Amino acid sequence: MRDSGQPDQDRILRSMELHSVEEEVDVTPAIMHKVRQIHQKNQRGHSGNRKKTFIISMLTGILILSSISVYASQYLIQIKNKEGEVILSTIKPWKYSESEYNAKRIKETEEALSKRLKPGEQAVYYIKDLHMTPLVKEQPLNYFYMLTKHSNYQELAKEIEDKGAPVLQEPDYVPEGYRFDFGQIQIRNTPVWNTPEYQILVDELKAQAEKSDEEQGLFYKIVPWFDIASTGMEYRKGDNRIKIVAFAREKGSKAGVPTHQAVKIKVKGKEMILSASPSSPSRSLTWLSDSEEVLYIITDDPKDPLSKDEFAKIAAGLVSE
């Protein structure tokens, strides 16, 4: 007669194989309960074959416990050669996409640099990491500028004057409830990609990385900067913000305003474009200085949108007489 307990044993084994356990858990009570069930069932159906059934049940329990121990240890298995050296092992699955991992490493690096650099300093840095993607390896260097965040307009005005940044006056009007939050000056990175100066820095930092035993390391150098990119400030009311930025630009080139909806308005004789953002619900008011060397942009907060008149009133205090 066929052993009626065997299909149950196979079914239990198969069900245990189909489930992965990511953390170590105590499964002994549940497994022993299953073993006792199988043993009791076999006792009822085959009292004359108790010894054989007991052996089968014990083997089943051992096999199940062995399978669970593998799953509970997250497939941590090692294979060694005759000399006892590990030549093959399992590893934890990779939990990041390429772009996520790159962004993670850059964020970690810049957080570390922010603790080492002084306000106003710029560093060029190289990340030693075999997991970084080929795209990052093709452009191995990044720049990090330690911004100086000014908590009042007077400090910002002083840095504008000291560094020759685009002039950004304090507006005469902002909507009720908004207060100056911070101001800052941003720079342009130099040297640029694929220049001899850039390649010199690549070779220097890569050489330092190769001499290091670190598998993952940060290598950087403080470098000077020469050009100002913009002056910016933000006004805040609770979680709502109004952003005002003055971008330095070369005279004679055309400036574009990406938008799907826009109107032209005039403030103190100056023509401006009020536009909707193609990528967010916010709106912006954009215009050029008389010299055409500064591009001004005021951006509202979609959670507290500005009216057309409010945009015009803010801009009026920024336009030179």
Side-chain angles (χ1 to χ4, degrees):
M1 181 180 294
R2 187 166 55 93
D3 188 349
S4 61
Q6 189 62 37
D8 285 339
Q9 296 166 17
D10 293 341
R11 177 178 53 78
I12 293 170
L13 285 171
R14 286 196 299 270
S15 68
M16 296 309 297
E17 290 172 352
L18 292 173
H19 292 79
S20 64
V21 180
E22 296 184 353
E23 298 179 356
E24 292 191 6
V25 292
D26 185 4
V27 296
T28 303
I31 291 172
M32 294 310 298
H33 176 69
K34 290 290 184 182
V35 171
R36 284 195 295 271
Q37 285 183 328
I38 294 170
H39 182 59
Q40 290 170 0
K41 186 174 181 179
N42 289 339
Q43 278 186 323
R44 289 194 299 269
H46 306 279
S47 57
N49 207 9
R50 290 179 180 178
K51 185 175 181 180
K52 179 181 177 182
T53 303
F54 177 75
I55 292 172
I56 292 173
S57 298
M58 288 301 295
L59 287 173
T60 301
I62 291 169
L63 287 171
I64 293 172
L65 285 169
S66 299
S67 298
I68 286 297
S69 66
V70 172
Y71 289 119
S73 61
Q74 297 186 331
Y75 296 94
L76 296 180
I77 299 172
Q78 293 181 337
I79 296 176
K80 299 180 180 181
N81 60 17
K82 294 179 181 178
E83 288 74 29
E85 299 169 333
V86 176
I87 57 173
L88 180 64
S89 65
T90 56
I91 59 175
K92 290 182 179 180
W94 193 246
K95 61 180 180 180
Y96 299 104
S97 68
E98 290 182 351
S99 60
E100 287 173 340
Y101 185 74
N102 291 342
K104 172 179 176 292
R105 292 292 286 120
I106 289 174
K107 181 182 178 182
E108 291 170 350
T109 299
E110 296 192 347
E111 286 175 351
L113 285 172
S114 67
K115 298 175 182 178
R116 304 181 191 182
L117 270 59
K118 299 176 182 177
E121 285 186 331
Q122 178 185 228
V124 59
Y125 66 88
Y126 172 75
I127 302 174
K128 181 181 179 181
D129 190 333
L130 293 176
H131 294 300
M132 299 294 274
T133 62
L135 178 62
V136 175
K137 292 176 182 177
E138 290 171 7
Q139 296 181 342
L141 299 187
N142 285 289
Y143 291 87
F144 177 76
Y145 176 67
M146 189 63 182
L147 288 168
T148 303
K149 280 194 171 185
H150 301 289
S151 59
N152 59 73
Y153 179 79
Q154 289 70 31
E155 291 179 358
L156 175 63
K158 186 177 185 305
E159 189 179 14
I160 290 173
E161 184 177 357
D162 292 344
K163 294 183 176 177
V167 176
L168 191 57
Q169 299 179 34
E170 188 174 20
D172 298 325
Y173 166 85
V174 290
E176 185 177 354
Y178 281 90
R179 298 289 182 269
F180 186 94
D181 188 30
F182 69 87
Q184 63 188 23
I185 290 174
Q186 185 58 272
I187 65 168
R188 288 193 177 92
N189 295 321
T190 54
V192 295
W193 313 111
N194 299 323
T195 62
E197 295 82 5
Y198 177 81
Q199 191 58 46
I200 289 172
L201 289 170
V202 172
D203 295 340
E204 180 180 343
L205 294 178
K206 273 192 171 183
Q208 293 179 20
E210 289 171 1
K211 292 178 183 178
S212 172
D213 294 330
E214 293 180 89
E215 292 185 5
Q216 292 182 329
L218 163 63
F219 302 88
Y220 71 97
K221 181 179 181 179
I222 304 296
V223 292
W225 54 268
F226 303 99
D227 299 323
I228 298 291
S230 65
T231 302
M233 55 188 180
E234 293 191 12
Y235 284 78
R236 181 172 64 87
K237 181 181 72 173
D239 294 330
N240 302 323
R241 293 182 175 275
I242 296 173
K243 300 178 182 179
I244 307 173
V245 184
F247 293 95
R249 62 186 300 274
E250 291 185 7
K251 183 178 179 179
S253 59
K254 291 184 179 180
V257 180
T259 184
H260 53 72
Q261 183 180 3
V263 295
K264 185 189 291 185
I265 66 173
K266 187 174 287 189
V267 178
K268 287 187 173 181
K270 174 70 65 178
E271 290 186 328
M272 305 180 180
I273 296 175
L274 179 60
S275 61
S277 170
S279 58
S280 74
S282 62
R283 294 187 302 161
S284 297
L285 184 64
T286 308
W287 74 97
L288 285 170
S289 64
D290 291 337
S291 67
E292 300 179 9
E293 294 178 342
V294 181
L295 178 73
Y296 292 93
I297 301 178
I298 302 172
T299 304
D300 69 359
D301 191 317
K303 298 187 295 295
D304 187 31
L306 300 176
S307 67
K308 180 179 175 181
D309 288 341
E310 286 176 320
F311 269 113
K313 286 181 180 180
I314 296 172
L318 304 174
V319 174
S320 301
E321 296 292 344

